[in-house]
Every structure is written in structure tokens, then in C-alpha cells.
């Protein structure tokens, strides 16, 4: 009989290979266990002590305080008070364990059952792009938050497991829970249960009740999706799942579950993104130049006065013309920014028109023209002539199209007489005026064309306000600042502002003379709407075709600048510096100085020689420019559209009806000798003569 071609293996061969396989697997398992033990031992040796783990940063937090110490905004991750395990409510511990790791007290740091479940889920969903779910224990989450990152890879997962095993060998379950509950991220920038409790419920975490604990525990799974401030309904729905898990895990009874009314939980209101963010957006970037601490949480104390900020916001919103924007900056006498409004609504537009936008200041620029003139020897009583003037083909005229003849400097400034400003520019020199503006903090480019005396160079509101504040400080330089001091969370001082009074920009008598002029402008000139019942000095500004309206002034130690106009620089009907901006200034200043004593200026108000037309800042070309003599043109000779006011003109006497000089009482002469007497100077200054044109 023929034998089969297939040879049969001896009966013991299959069993032999099986035994060899089992032995190899056992050896591999033992080797793996030994390798894990060695890795865990090495990891244990490298782990820091518990106090170091508590202080390890999750990122830099910045808390910004107002002048009264209250927190106005928190940026970056926020951390509450560290709660020792004994101070953490048991319902919070139970809620977190039931939700995140129900076998926490049974496993050694890695949960084999959870890993098997995760592996099964991964097998079912292979090829669908889903990540491994449900395998991380609380201990693994702690190691990931402190030592690793959230990037997903098998290498990172192995390191996480080794560190978790080492962590459980070195620290107790209570210590690990304490780390977890004080460091886990709950959304909204809140790290730890105390920060989350304060953010979402407005109270510390040591007083959390069951419904609140369930809401917080439900946030860990998806902080952005279940955040109460983002979606309160989703947060409450997720909290209901947490309560179910707590009952299933035996942490609460059915009765306790039923009595936990999630609908009764009161959420803390989310602070609105109001106008104070204009200030913080401007101030906080300055930290890079003030300190070098990159990691520790910072406490930043600022100059902003919240009551003034509210008043500033209300003043701008109440007075800005329809379809326009407005901005306001208020400086204390040392440059501290007390209020800053960069627009009507920060949420709609976070563009800061107070510090970033550049616009023409109109006659507000005459601050530098007249200051240069005073420094050159003019006084408020110096005689000047309002008459036609042509400079290199450019012929400015006044708002009423007429000329008043012989007047004094005070009258010319009070009624913003354009022809006199132009003549002063010629006499003192346009580069001299530009230098004066630079001296007082104007940082934008300045042209030296003749029309520059009427404010044709673009400026920033904060720079103009700074210049007026330096006049209010009697010629001493003022630098706007918003940060008074910076400390770490434990109180270590990193920076403190020091006031610098060493830079004198002009002599005190020059600042006093200009204050004299600006008082008159508010008392009876173009700035009458800015009166607040106490001494105010200020100046209006209106650009061609009513595109920009300005008012800047000071009283009782507060200097405030207001700008209004359209972002697209289109004309705004009826917009003049002496109207809406001046009214906004008055509305704000009545609140800002209400609790301050009334301060008199070094010079008293002196009325001008007679009443003239108010400021309208018209630009006219030379009579022979081919435009008919009466058409408005800019400094380049281009025609301008004259905006029609949308409200009645201010009540102004007819400029032609000039009173007889004999019927006028002689005004008090404010010459240099009088100013020296007011300022207490004993020395005699030589009499100043009006410079020859």
C-alpha cells in the first residue's frame, strides 16, 4: 500500500511549540514588568516634592486693578485660592471622582479595566479617526497637566502611564486629588475649583453645594462646550449627568439626587466688555518695557478711576452726533490716566480713537501758536490787528468773513481769529511752532506750511491732552501713564511708577499767560458750553467742513480732551468744537471734579474787548485763486463742501455792531509785571514789546 506524501509531525511537537511560546511570552511579560518597575523607580526619583508641584505654573495670569483696588479684568489663566484637601467640600470630591474616575481609590494610577474598555472602543471605531477615549485616570490627568501636554501620541501615553504610577507611589490619593482639584482647567480661563467657583457662582469653593459641585465637575469633559457663561442650559444638562453618576457610584442617595435643584443655581453675571477695555488694551502692552517676569502671575495696579470711566462713557454716548464716533482722555495733574474712551462701544469696535487715530485738530492747535508767541514776548494784552493776510498765496479768513481791526491777543484767542494766528505764525516762525508742539509731546509728523497754524497736521487725542496737561502743570512736562505698580501674586514688588518733575517745557509765566487766554475762551469765547461752575481753561477745535470737533481743557487738576467725528472723515453737519465736544467735556468734568476742591488759576478771568463770532475754522483761498473769493478751499487750493448745521447756530452778536471804545471799561492790563506779581516774583522783568511783523 502506497504511503501518503504528507509526513505527520510527532505527537509532542505542537505541544512543544506551545510551551516555547508561553515561555517566551512569560519572559517578555517579566521583562516588561521589570522595565516598567525600573522606569517607575527612575521617574519617582525625578519627581519634585509636593510643594513644587503645587507651585508649578499653568501659564501667566494677569489681574488688572482699578485705582480703588478692584479687579477690572483678568487675562490669561486665573487661579483661585489653593484649597487643602480638608477644606474641599466632600460633594466636590465625590462629584469629580464619580465623573472622571469612579475606580480612583482601587487602581494604582492606571486603570486596566478602563484601558480595556478604551481599547474595545478603539477597535470598534478604527478607521474613523476617533481618538482613544476613557483611559485616563485622575492621576494620569494630573501628570499630563503638570509634566506633559495634550498632544496625542502613543509615546506620550506611555510616559503618562509611567509618571502616573510613579506619582501614586510617591504621594497619597488625597494629595493627588488636592493637586487635581486645584489645577484642572474648568473653562473661561479658570484653573482649579476655587477660581471656577468664584467665576461662575461668585463665591469661594469651600462653600460649594451639591448642584454647584455637579456643574463644576461636568466642565472638565469639555470646558468650552459646558461653560455656564457660554451655554447655561448645556452646563445644567451636563450637571444632571454628573448627579446620575454620583448616585450610580453610591456617592449620593436617590433622595439627595432628587433634592438637588439645578435650576435654582444662581450664576455670577459675566462682566461686560465695556469701555474700560480701551484703557487696558493701551496700558498692558507697556508691561513688556516695565518688567521682565515671564511666568509668575501678575497683579497690575492701574490709574483708571471707574466712576470717572463711567461718566466719560456716558458723556461721549450722550453727546456724539448720530453716525459719528467719539473719544475722551482724562489725565490727572501728574499724567495718571483716570478715564479713557476710544469709541462708542468696545464690543462693536475695539479701535482706540483716543490713542491710535490721527486727525486734524483745527484751532486746538493754536495752543502751540500762542504759546510760541507768549514765549517770544507777547502778552494777553498785546495789540494785534485782524485784517486780510496772504502768505505764499494762502489767505485765511474768519468764520464770519469779516475783520475786526485792532484787537488784543486775548480777544483773538478767545474767538479763534484765524488771521491773527496766521500773522503770529509768520512772526514767530512756523518751525518754531512745530518745535513747540514737539516739545509738548506731539509725536506725529508736523508740516510747516503756513496753514499749519490752523491745525492741518494730524495728531492723536492722547498727545493733545498731554500738551494741555503740561500747561495746566505750569509748564512741567506730563507723560500719560496707566500703571502705578506691578507685583507678583505673593506681593513681591516688580515695578512702581515714579513721578518725574524735572522736565520744564516753558517758563511758568508762559503757561500762566496761556491759561489766561484759555479761561477767556471758556468764559465768553468759543468754549462757553464747557463751563462747569468752577474755573475752567480750554480751547475748541473744528476742522474744515466740520469733519472733526475737539475740546480740550482743565480744571481742579484734571485735564480732559474730547474728539468727535466720523471714522471715514466725512463731514458731520453742525459739528463744532464748541458744541457737542464741549458739552461732553462739561458732562464728564462735573462728575470728575465733584469731590475735588475748587482751584483758582494764577490769573483771573479778563473779558475780551468785544464779542466776535464763534469758532468755525473756515479755510479760504486768496481772492484771485479763481474760486470767486468766497468758495471754501483747503490749504492746497482744493474746493471744500461746507456742511450745513443740523442745529441752530450759537447766539452771536453781529460782528459789525462793534461798541464805541469810549463806552467800554478799560480791561485790566495783564502785562508781564502783573503776572510776576501774581506768581510772587520779586525781580523786575524788562517790559516786553510787541515784535515787529
Amino acid at each position: 500500500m502506497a504511503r501518503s506524501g504528507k509526513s505527520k509531525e510527532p505527537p509532542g511537537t505542537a505541544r512543544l511549540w506551545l510551551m516555547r511560546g508561553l515561555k517566551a511570552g512569560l519572559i517578555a511579560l517579566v521583562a516588561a514588568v521589570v522595565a516598567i518597575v525600573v522606569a517607575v523607580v527612575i521617574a519617582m526619583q525625578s519627581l519634585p516634592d509636593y510643594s513644587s508641584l503645587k507651585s508649578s505654573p499653568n501659564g501667566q495670569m494677569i489681574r488688572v486693578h482699578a485705582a480703588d483696588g478692584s479687579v477690572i479684568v483678568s487675562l490669561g489663566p486665573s487661579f483661585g485660592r489653593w484649597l487643602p484637601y480638608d477644606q474641599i467640600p466632600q460633594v466636590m470630591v465625590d462629584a469629580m471622582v464619580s465623573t472622571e474616575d469612579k475606580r480612583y481609590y482601587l487602581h494604582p494610577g492606571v486603570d486596566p479595566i478602563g484601558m480595556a474598555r478604551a481599547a474595545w472602543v478603539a477597535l470598534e471605531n478604527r478607521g474613523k479617526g476617533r481618538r482613544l477615549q476613557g483611559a485616563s485616570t485622575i492621576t494620569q490627568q494630573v501628570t499630563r497637566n503638570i509634566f506633559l501636554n495634550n498632544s496625542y501620541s502613543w509615546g506620550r501615553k506611555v510616559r503618562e502611564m509611567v509618571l502616573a504610577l510613579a506619582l501614586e507611589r510617591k504621594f497619597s490619593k488625597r494629595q493627588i486629588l488636592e493637586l487635581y482639584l486645584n489645577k484642572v482647567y474648568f473653562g473661561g480661563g479658570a484653573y482649579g475649583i476655587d477660581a471656577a467657583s468664584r467665576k461662575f457662582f461668585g463665591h469661594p469653593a469651600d462653600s460649594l453645594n451639591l448642584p454647584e459641585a455637579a456643574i463644576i465637575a461636568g466642565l472638565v469633559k469639555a470646558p468650552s462646550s459646558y461653560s455656564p457663561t457660554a451655554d447655561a442650559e448645556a452646563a445644567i444638562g451636563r450637571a444632571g449627568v454628573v448627579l446620575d453618576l454620583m448616585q450610580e457610584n453610591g456617592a449620593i442617595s436617590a433622595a439627595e439626587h432628587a433634592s438637588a435643584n439645578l435650576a435654582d443655581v444662581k450664576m455670577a453675571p459675566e462682566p461686560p466688555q465695556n469701555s474700560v477695555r480701551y484703557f487696558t488694551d493701551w496700558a498692558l502692552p507697556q508691561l513688556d518695557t516695565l518688567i521682565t517676569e515671564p511666568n509668575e502671575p501678575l497683579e497690575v495696579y492701574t490709574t483708571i478711576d471707574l466712576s470717572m470711566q463711567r461718566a466719560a462713557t456716558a458723556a461721549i454716548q450722550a453727546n456724539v452726533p448720530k453716525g459719528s464716533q467719539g473719544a475722551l482722555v482724562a489725565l490727572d495733574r501728574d499724567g495718571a490716566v483716570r478715564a479713557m474712551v476710544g469709541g462708542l462701544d468696545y464690543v462693536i469696535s475695539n479701535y482706540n480713537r483716543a490713542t491710535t487715530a490721527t486727525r486734524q485738530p483745527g484751532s486746538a492747535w493754536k495752543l502751540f501758536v500762542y504759546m510760541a508767541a507768549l514765549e517770544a514776548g507777547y502778552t494777553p494784552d498785546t495789540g494785534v490787528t485782524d485784517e486780510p493776510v496772504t502768505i505764499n498765496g494762502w489767505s485765511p479768513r474768519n468764520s464770519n468773513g469779516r475783520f475786526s481791526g485792532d484787537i488784543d491777543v486775548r480777544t483773538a484767542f478767545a474767538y479763534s481769529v484765524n488771521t491773527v494766528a496766521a500773522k503770529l505764525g509768520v512772526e514767530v516762525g512756523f518751525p518754531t511752532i512745530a518745535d513747540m508742539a514737539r516739545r509738548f509731546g506731539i509725536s506725529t509728523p508736523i508740516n510747516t506750511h503756513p496753514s499749519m497754524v490752523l491745525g492741518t497736521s494730524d495728531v492723536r487725542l492722547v498727545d493733545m491732552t498731554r500738551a494741555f496737561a503740561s500747561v495746566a502743570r505750569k509748564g512741567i512736562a506730563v507723560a500719560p501713564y496707566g500703571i502705578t505698580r506691578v507685583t507678583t501674586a505673593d506681593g513681591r514688588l516688580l515695578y512702581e511708577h515714579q513721578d518725574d518733575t524735572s522736565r520744564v517745557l516753558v517758563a511758568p509765566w508762559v503757561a500762566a499767560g496761556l491759561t489766561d487766554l484759555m479761561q477767556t475762551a471758556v468764559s465768553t469765547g468759543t468754549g462757553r458750553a464747557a463751563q462747569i461752575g468752577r474755573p475752567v481753561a480750554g480751547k475748541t477745535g473744528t476742522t474744515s467742513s466740520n469733519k472733526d470737533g475737539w475740546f480740550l481743557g482743565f480744571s481742579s487738576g484734571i485735564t480732559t480732551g474730547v474728539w468727535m467725528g466720523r471714522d471715514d472723515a466725512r463731514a458731520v453737519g453742525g459739528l463744532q468744537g464748541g458744541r457737542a465736544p464741549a458739552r461732553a467735556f462739561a458732562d464728564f468734568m462735573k462728575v470728575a471734579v465733584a469731590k475735588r476742591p475748587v482751584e483758582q488759576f494764577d490769573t483771573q478771568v479778563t473779558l475780551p474787548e468785544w464779542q466776535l463770532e464763534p469758532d468755525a475754522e473756515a479755510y479760504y483761498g486768496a481772492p484771485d485763486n479763481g474760486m470767486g473769493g468766497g468758495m471754501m478751499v483747503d490749504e492746497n487750493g482744493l474746493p471744500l463742501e461746507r456742511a450745513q448745521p443740523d442745529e441752530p447756530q450759537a447766539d452771536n452778536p453781529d460782528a459789525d455792531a462793534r461798541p464805541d471804545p469810549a463806552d467800554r471799561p478799560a480791561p485790566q492790563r495783564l502785562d508781564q509785571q502783573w503776572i510776576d506779581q501774581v506768581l510772587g516774583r520779586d525781580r523786575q522783568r524788562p517790559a516786553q514789546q510787541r515784535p515787529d511783523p
Side-chain angles (χ1 to χ4, degrees), residues 7 39 52 74 100 174 190 200 291 305 346 370 397 403 416-417 432 443 500 523 558 633 662 673:
S7 61
S52 298
S74 293
E100 292 298 310
R174 286 162 59 104
F200 300 130
I291 62 172
D305 184 301
Y346 180 87
Y370 280 81
R397 289 189 184 181
F403 305 99
S416 203
V417 178
T432 301
S443 58
D500 180 12
S523 297
I558 295 291
V633 298
Q673 182 178 359

Side-chain angles (χ1 to χ4, degrees), residues 160-403:
E160 176 187 298
M161 293 167 61
V162 171
L163 285 171
L165 292 169
L167 207 66
E168 291 263 2
R169 305 286 73 74
K170 189 167 184 175
F171 304 112
S172 68
K173 292 281 189 180
R174 286 162 59 104
Q175 287 178 310
I176 294 172
L177 269 176
E178 181 182 319
L179 281 172
Y180 181 72
L181 292 171
N182 281 284
K183 282 185 169 292
V184 70
Y185 182 60
F186 292 101
Y191 286 82
I193 57 173
D194 192 61
S197 179
R198 294 175 188 272
K199 178 177 181 62
F200 300 130
F201 310 124
H203 63 73
D206 55 9
S207 59
L208 285 168
N209 57 33
L210 177 58
E212 292 171 340
I215 291 175
I216 289 181
L219 298 177
V220 178
K221 181 179 178 64
S224 59
S225 299
Y226 296 125
S227 173
T229 55
D231 191 339
E233 185 177 345
I236 291 176
R238 173 64 180 166
V241 175
V242 173
L243 291 175
D244 293 339
L245 292 172
M246 292 179 71
Q247 181 180 347
E248 178 184 320
N249 207 40
I252 60 173
S253 64
E256 289 174 317
H257 186 310
S259 63
N261 192 342
L262 296 170
D264 290 342
V265 176
K266 294 183 178 180
M267 303 292 183
E270 183 75 3
Q273 297 289 309
N274 55 29
S275 66
V276 78
R277 289 299 303 272
Y278 287 116
F279 169 76
T280 56
D281 288 354
W282 169 76
L284 291 180
Q286 301 169 26
L287 287 173
D288 291 338
T289 63
L290 302 179
I291 62 172
T292 57
E293 174 55 59
N295 296 317
E296 287 197 50
L298 301 178
E299 302 288 344
V300 179
Y301 297 87
T302 70
T303 59
I304 200 74
D305 184 301
L306 294 181
S307 62
M308 291 191 194
Q309 183 69 22
R310 288 190 291 269
T313 303
I316 291 297
Q317 292 178 345
N319 290 283
V320 70
K322 184 177 180 180
S324 302
Q325 279 287 352
L328 181 150
V329 176
L331 305 179
D332 216 324
R333 63 180 82 247
D334 66 341
V337 177
R338 298 303 183 192
M340 177 180 287
V341 177
L344 288 177
D345 192 320
Y346 180 87
V347 176
I348 295 176
S349 172
N350 61 10
Y351 178 62
N352 195 335
R353 297 157 186 84
T355 61
T356 305
T358 57
R359 303 294 289 255
Q360 292 185 358
S363 277
W365 183 264
K366 291 175 184 175
L367 174 86
F368 308 115
V369 177
Y370 280 81
M371 195 144 45
L374 291 175
E375 192 173 60
Y378 279 81
T379 72
D381 289 320
T382 299
V384 291
T385 303
D386 175 17
E387 61 186 354
V389 58
T390 299
I391 307 169
N392 296 334
W394 174 67
S395 298
R397 289 189 184 181
N398 302 318
S399 59
N400 60 4
R402 295 185 290 271
F403 305 99

Side-chain angles (χ1 to χ4, degrees), residues 596-650:
R596 296 185 173 217
V598 175
E599 296 182 15
Q600 301 294 332
F601 297 124
D602 291 337
T603 57
Q604 298 298 315
V605 175
T606 302
L607 296 180
E609 293 183 310
W610 52 72
Q611 300 291 308
L612 300 178
E613 293 289 343
D615 180 18
E617 316 308 323
Y619 291 78
Y620 287 85
D624 59 350
N625 64 359
M627 298 294 182
M631 179 176 290
M632 296 177 63
V633 298
D634 63 15
E635 65 275 14
N636 298 313
L638 299 176
L640 296 171
E641 295 180 5
R642 187 162 190 170
Q644 296 300 319
D646 59 358
E647 55 181 286
Q649 294 285 337

Side-chain angles (χ1 to χ4, degrees), residues 363 399 415-416 418 526 539-542 576-577 613-617:
S363 277
S399 59
Y415 294 102
S416 203
N418 291 335
T526 60
K539 183 69 184 79
T540 58
T542 308
Q576 293 184 6
E613 293 289 343
D615 180 18
E617 316 308 323

Side-chain angles (χ1 to χ4, degrees), residues 668-687:
Q668 184 178 8
R669 186 165 187 81
L670 296 186
D671 55 15
Q672 189 57 52
Q673 182 178 359
W674 184 88
I675 293 178
D676 285 340
Q677 292 174 353
V678 169
L679 298 179
R681 288 194 175 91
D682 295 330
R683 62 185 176 87
Q684 297 293 323
R685 294 179 55 89

